[in-house]
Amino acid sequence: MARNYRQEYDRYQGSTKQKKRRAMRNKANRKARASGQIRKGDGKDVHHRDGNPMNNKAGNTVIQKASTNRSFKRNKKAGKA
């Protein structure tokens, strides 16, 4: 069965809450790019230590490799450790 991307957007990505969270992640990326911490295409991401993209305080963000930021440790049942 093929993925229905339109349905995914309508149900999740297009929700008001997710739009605001995405906007704050983009804001954190713009701030890091302006300060020279990251560059487009360098393979780095802005990591939010507390997992909350709405919290863009300097103490909560850190620059990481994209591969590290987009994965997480897993337990025996393949859930988050």
Side-chain angles (χ1 to χ4, degrees):
M1 186 164 117
R3 280 176 69 174
N4 185 342
Y5 292 97
R6 176 79 248 172
Q7 187 180 57
E8 282 183 32
Y9 181 81
D10 290 340
R11 290 187 178 173
Y12 182 73
Q13 297 170 8
S15 70
T16 304
K17 180 181 176 183
Q18 289 307 315
K19 285 181 181 179
K20 288 179 182 178
R21 291 170 65 94
R22 180 172 61 242
M24 292 302 283
R25 285 190 297 270
N26 290 339
K27 186 175 183 178
N29 275 292
R30 283 194 306 270
K31 187 175 177 182
R33 198 170 290 139
S35 67
Q37 293 177 308
I38 61 173
R39 289 190 309 268
K40 189 174 183 179
D42 67 357
K44 306 268 174 132
D45 276 352
V46 177
H47 171 66
H48 291 84
R49 288 182 175 145
D50 66 359
N52 178 9
M54 304 299 276
N55 181 1
N56 283 335
K57 294 179 182 176
N60 186 48
T61 59
V62 66
I63 306 303
Q64 286 186 340
K65 292 189 318 183
S67 59
T68 303
N69 190 44
R70 297 178 191 184
S71 65
F72 49 87
K73 292 186 177 185
R74 299 167 198 277
N75 61 20
K76 289 181 181 181
K77 295 182 181 179
K80 284 188 179 180

